[in-house]
Amino acid sequence: MQHPSGERPPRGPGHRGPRRRKRRLLLAGAVVAVLGLAAVPVLKHFGVFSGNGKPMSFDQPRPEGGGAGGGSAGAADPGVRMPTGPPARFTTANTLDDGTRIGVTTLHGKKSGFTGKVWVWAPKEYYEERYAKSAFPVLVALPGGPGYPVNYWMGTDLKLQSSISEWAKSGKSKPFIVVMPVLNADDKNYYDGSDIPGQPKMGTWMSDDVPDLVKANFRTFASRDGWAFMGSSSGGFVGLKQVLQHPDRFKAVIASGPDTRPDSPLWRGHPKEQRANDPAQLAKELLAKPGAPDVHIAFQIGTKESGRAKLEAFMKNYGKGPIKTRLQVIEGGDHNAKTYVRGMDDGTMEWISKVMPGPTPAA
């Protein structure tokens, strides 16, 4: 499995290339082995033994105050989509130093038929009275590796959420709502964020069910301009594919150390469907479509990992017309999540945020 360091294990039997490594371990065992921590503290970090789990709501003020949530306010701007409901049942998974909380809920996907966990964090600004009628941009953050049963971005150790808070203060980033669904249907297979015939519909889970959950519970932008993906390794591939496949729903993606081709062994016997989920093919179709909407792709790669040539080739072949691309090369960076957060700080987040709308305070 992929642990918080971000390294990706083999994707399945017969998979070739640099990811041919030892078979992944169980969740707690893998994290313990890599981080050198005792089992109990690690499991507490992921909420197994901790005091987390209490009911919470994003529609209520934080305990220390900060204004009304968005559940009852009326929108003054037609570009703002107020929560449609029904409200999901969230429990606390983690709490940041500023008092904001990461909530988790179990989503029964109406369109995909898949049931899985989704973690969500709203920035401090979301609770402020001046933004009570404002929409907030959404960043769907995807992990590498199986990403099941835990999406590692829900932890506070990688500092994704706290970094976004700091970047928003300095003007590097919009104050995003961060949504962290499980990436795959289990920890044994990779589904490439796609509807592979005969398998759980993980493509529909990402493109429909997860956004529908967010729309039901948060103030979001009515247009695709306020929706983006961010992911590392296998999660980077899924985010890249989703944006190219659904440019009418998502505007941008930060794809860090990603594959650029679908390569799950589950595609065997389904070449037509595999091709329909290939970012290269999707990019070709987007370039050939008259009046296609712009999409913004920010690639990231560390100097200590492989794959840079593939990303540069993708940009050369498809980074034109409506497909806007950028490559952040992270000096000394490895294939891991902490490296990619550093790359976001070094310029990627600012580039993406310039094309994304932010919340508008009341006059």
Side-chain angles (χ1 to χ4, degrees), residues 92-116:
T92 301
N94 267 312
T95 302
L96 276 65
D97 291 341
D98 66 359
T100 57
R101 292 177 289 175
I102 298 171
V104 61
T105 189
T106 298
L107 173 62
H108 304 286
K110 293 182 179 180
K111 296 178 181 177
S112 68
F114 173 72
T115 296

Side-chain angles (χ1 to χ4, degrees), residues 234-317:
S234 51
F237 166 83
V238 174
L240 172 65
K241 193 216 73 163
Q242 285 288 338
V243 168
L244 289 170
Q245 195 168 44
H246 303 289
D248 58 326
R249 305 183 193 184
F250 311 107
K251 187 175 187 179
V253 59
I254 298 172
S256 304
D259 287 332
T260 55
R261 300 277 183 176
D263 61 356
S264 170
L266 299 174
W267 287 114
R268 291 171 185 164
H270 307 288
K272 180 180 178 181
E273 290 84 356
Q274 182 176 8
R275 180 175 172 78
N277 285 275
D278 187 327
Q281 177 62 27
L282 293 167
K284 290 178 185 177
E285 294 173 1
L286 189 61
L287 291 175
K289 184 177 180 180
D294 288 349
V295 294
H296 300 260
I297 301 170
F299 288 118
Q300 296 198 131
I301 196 80
T303 56
K304 291 184 178 180
E305 63 174 314
S306 62
R308 179 175 174 177
K310 290 183 179 180
L311 300 184
E312 290 177 335
F314 190 96
M315 294 171 66
K316 180 179 179 180
N317 292 331

Side-chain angles (χ1 to χ4, degrees), residues 168-191:
K169 289 179 184 177
S170 67
K172 282 186 178 181
S173 171
K174 298 298 194 302
F176 286 90
I177 294 170
V178 181
V179 183
M180 301 154 277
V182 293
L183 179 64
N184 288 296
D186 52 55
D187 61 358
K188 300 177 178 63
N189 299 291
Y190 289 87
Y191 296 85

Side-chain angles (χ1 to χ4, degrees), residues 294-346:
D294 288 349
V295 294
H296 300 260
I297 301 170
F299 288 118
Q300 296 198 131
I301 196 80
T303 56
K304 291 184 178 180
E305 63 174 314
S306 62
R308 179 175 174 177
K310 290 183 179 180
L311 300 184
E312 290 177 335
F314 190 96
M315 294 171 66
K316 180 179 179 180
N317 292 331
Y318 310 114
K320 49 193 171 184
I323 302 178
K324 316 298 183 182
T325 61
R326 179 183 189 273
L327 177 62
Q328 181 77 40
V329 178
I330 308 165
E331 188 63 36
D334 290 303
H335 188 71
N336 62 59
K338 288 186 177 180
T339 286
Y340 301 141
V341 173
R342 178 158 60 90
M344 292 166 70
D345 186 24
D346 289 343

